[in-house]
Amino acid sequence: MPAVLWDRVTLTCQGLGTSSATTCYKDGRRWGQQGHDRLTVTENGTYECNRTGTGLSLPVRVSDDWLVLQVPARPLLEGDTVTLRCRDRRNSLGTWVSFYHEEKQLVELRNGTELTLFPLQLHHSGRYRCRGWLKDREWVMSAPVTVTVHVPVANATIIPGPLAHQVHAGDNVTLRCSVQVGSAPVTFTWLHNGQEVAQGPLLELRDIDVEHSGTYQCMATNQLGQDGHRVFQALSPELALEVTPWGHRDTGGVTRGHQGVQDPWGDGRS
């Protein structure tokens, strides 16, 4: 991204429903023929499509600039390798190409039009440009492109707060779930004896009873990338809660168990 007009770009709209329910837009205005899910791009601009039952797609920008800096459209994760490509309309880049991050020059290449970042770290996020010498057009600077480095969620923990050493029927208990790392947005799901019981970072148990006894875990999830197709999950260690009925020997309390990490989609790190 961005796509370039000189690559003869064809956009295809995919989603629920039939192609007859497709509407395409360019810069916010209806574009092309109604009911066609393929669009050959002839003008630069920002394109979207809409299909009944799916809604509006993510925008795709198509550039016709003399010089562009392209980055992969996939979600970029911490530790990945990414290559930035500086391209010109006539493939006439000279021998000097410079790359900039947040308007500060990173490197000037005598021969080459690509910059590889490895391993990706959070500080690599930001706006990038490239500058090159185009024959008969002198020095040209590309428009900025944004690189966003995402961090999969990891190391979920449950913090009792406040939680007494002895837990009796009728008490109130609040549990908080937190993660050590993870790009926002992070969502939280609470499990009681393996069954989902609540959503959100806080689990508030009011006027508890012996039925609240058992193991508790929280599962933190973040979906990375614009389309959210890379999903990561981290499962906290178990917290065992034993509720003592009033009038019984004080044996109630909490203990901790093992920790688990999940990546059920199998396409990333957790």
Side-chain angles (χ1 to χ4, degrees):
M1 297 293 290
V4 289
L5 194 60
W6 11 286
D7 277 343
R8 298 181 180 180
V9 177
T10 298
L11 303 178
T12 302
C13 188
Q14 297 178 332
L16 300 176
T18 63
S19 60
S20 61
T22 302
T23 304
C24 293
Y25 300 89
K26 173 183 175 291
D27 298 329
R29 296 184 177 182
R30 184 174 296 182
W31 190 260
Q33 294 183 341
Q34 179 78 18
H36 287 239
D37 58 1
R38 292 175 65 86
L39 179 66
T40 300
V41 178
T42 58
E43 298 182 13
N44 63 307
T46 300
Y47 292 83
E48 298 167 294
C49 72
N50 191 322
R51 182 175 287 183
T52 304
T54 303
L56 195 64
S57 71
L58 293 170
V60 174
R61 187 166 69 88
V62 180
S63 172
D64 194 29
D65 296 341
W66 281 95
L67 188 70
V68 297
L69 181 63
Q70 292 182 313
V71 302
R74 62 181 173 85
L76 303 177
L77 302 184
E78 189 178 39
D80 282 355
T81 299
V82 62
T83 298
L84 311 183
R85 301 177 61 200
C86 193
R87 300 181 60 199
D88 73 289
R89 190 190 301 182
R90 295 180 179 176
N91 291 321
S92 60
L93 275 177
T95 56
W96 297 101
V97 175
S98 298
F99 290 86
Y100 297 81
H101 178 225
E102 298 297 346
E103 308 305 328
K104 294 182 179 180
Q105 185 174 358
L106 291 177
V107 65
E108 185 176 58
L109 304 180
R110 178 67 184 270
N111 291 292
T113 59
E114 296 183 350
L115 173 66
T116 298
L117 304 176
F118 172 80
L120 276 181
Q121 303 293 327
L122 280 177
H123 69 264
H124 288 126
S125 295
R127 301 197 318 164
Y128 288 80
R129 293 176 183 259
C130 68
R131 179 174 180 262
W133 175 271
L134 303 184
K135 296 176 182 178
D136 74 20
R137 296 191 68 85
E138 300 184 347
W139 291 105
V140 177
M141 181 78 81
S142 73
V145 295
T146 299
V147 171
T148 302
V149 181
H150 301 279
V151 181
V153 68
N155 297 337
T157 56
I158 298 176
I159 303 173
L163 186 62
H165 292 293
Q166 304 298 331
V167 181
H168 295 90
D171 288 347
N172 296 328
V173 174
T174 299
L175 305 178
R176 177 185 296 273
C177 187
S178 64
V179 294
Q180 184 177 16
V181 295
S183 295
V186 178
T187 60
F188 299 92
T189 302
W190 289 92
L191 307 176
H192 178 218
N193 296 331
Q195 300 296 316
E196 181 178 334
V197 292
Q199 300 280 340
L202 289 179
L203 177 63
E204 296 181 325
L205 305 176
R206 301 299 184 189
D207 192 21
I208 62 174
D209 200 343
V210 290
E211 294 180 354
H212 288 100
S213 296
T215 60
Y216 288 84
Q217 288 181 288
C218 72
M219 182 167 58
T221 304
N222 61 350
Q223 296 179 269
L224 305 184
Q226 283 187 317
D227 55 2
H229 79 276
R230 300 192 73 173
V231 181
F232 297 85
Q233 293 181 336
L235 193 61
S236 75
E238 290 182 343
L239 182 146
L241 176 66
E242 183 179 354
V243 180
T244 302
W246 282 106
H248 288 68
R249 185 164 51 95
D250 286 342
T251 58
V254 295
T255 59
R256 299 181 182 275
H258 65 278
Q259 176 174 298
V261 177
Q262 301 179 357
D263 177 13
W265 280 259
D267 61 351
R269 301 171 295 128
S270 295

